[in-house]
Amino acid sequence: MQVATGASMLNFGYWHGDANNLVDAQTNLCTLVGKLADLGSSKILIDVGSGYGAPALQWSDEYKLGNILCVNINSQQLVNGFKIASGKIENARVSDARCLRTHITCINSSSLCLPFATGTVDRIIALESAQHFKPLTCLLPRVTESCNPKGYW
């Protein structure tokens, strides 16, 4: 998708409203997920399988999150996401550089080995990656453990 669109999101989008191209649909999906997850009341978010971190950048623009933890097994995607955020890759948006001033942390880890203490986060999202978890039931115990009792995943 990155080659086709020049953008950094890795989802198929939400084709609603004025979305007439994949990038608009991807942004719509990211916005919708942020609303459904009530990120406005969140302090710490884990973006599991974050890809290049584009959703985290969008959410950092839209919400006052204390910390966004981008967890990805692919270290090269994390590195390239940071380069995009710091404006070192052609076609990066100027707003992506805000990542450097927010609390976005990149963590190279498997979703099955989330390196967080029990109950330490209040939102966990797998927007760019849920389709890769096979079986999905392997992820659920670790996610449930990491999320505090009042959190969402």
Side-chain angles (χ1 to χ4, degrees):
M1 277 189 232
Q2 189 179 28
V3 172
T5 65
S8 301
M9 286 202 202
L10 303 171
N11 66 68
F12 294 105
Y14 178 52
W15 295 85
H16 181 71
D18 61 350
N20 57 13
N21 61 60
L22 182 56
V23 174
D24 290 343
Q26 290 171 325
T27 301
N28 282 350
L29 181 60
C30 193
T31 298
L32 177 63
V33 168
K35 287 178 184 176
L36 291 173
D38 190 23
L39 291 183
S41 67
S42 177
K43 301 279 188 271
I44 301 173
L45 163 68
I46 298 175
D47 185 4
V48 178
S50 60
Y52 296 102
L57 292 169
Q58 182 175 328
W59 292 324
S60 73
D61 282 345
E62 294 177 354
Y63 302 99
K64 303 287 187 226
L65 295 161
N67 203 355
I68 301 175
L69 308 168
C70 292
V71 177
N72 201 342
I73 197 165
N74 185 327
S75 61
Q76 195 58 50
Q77 285 182 337
L78 291 172
V79 168
N80 286 339
F82 183 81
K83 287 179 182 176
I84 289 168
S86 54
K88 293 181 181 174
I89 292 180
E90 190 176 340
N91 297 328
R93 296 180 320 214
V94 172
S95 64
D96 290 345
R98 292 181 194 155
C99 167
L100 302 176
R101 294 189 307 268
T102 62
H103 301 286
I104 296 178
T105 304
C106 296
I107 300 169
N108 185 215
S109 178
S110 165
S111 61
L112 300 179
C113 300
L114 295 176
F116 308 106
T118 301
T120 56
V121 301
D122 52 14
R123 299 294 185 280
I124 300 174
I125 297 176
L127 174 62
E128 304 272 280
S129 61
Q131 70 274 15
H132 298 293
F133 303 131
K134 294 178 182 152
L136 183 60
T137 54
C138 290
L139 175 67
L140 298 180
R142 188 61 192 121
V143 166
T144 303
E145 183 180 309
S146 297
C147 206
N148 72 41
K150 295 182 181 181
Y152 304 121
W153 51 268

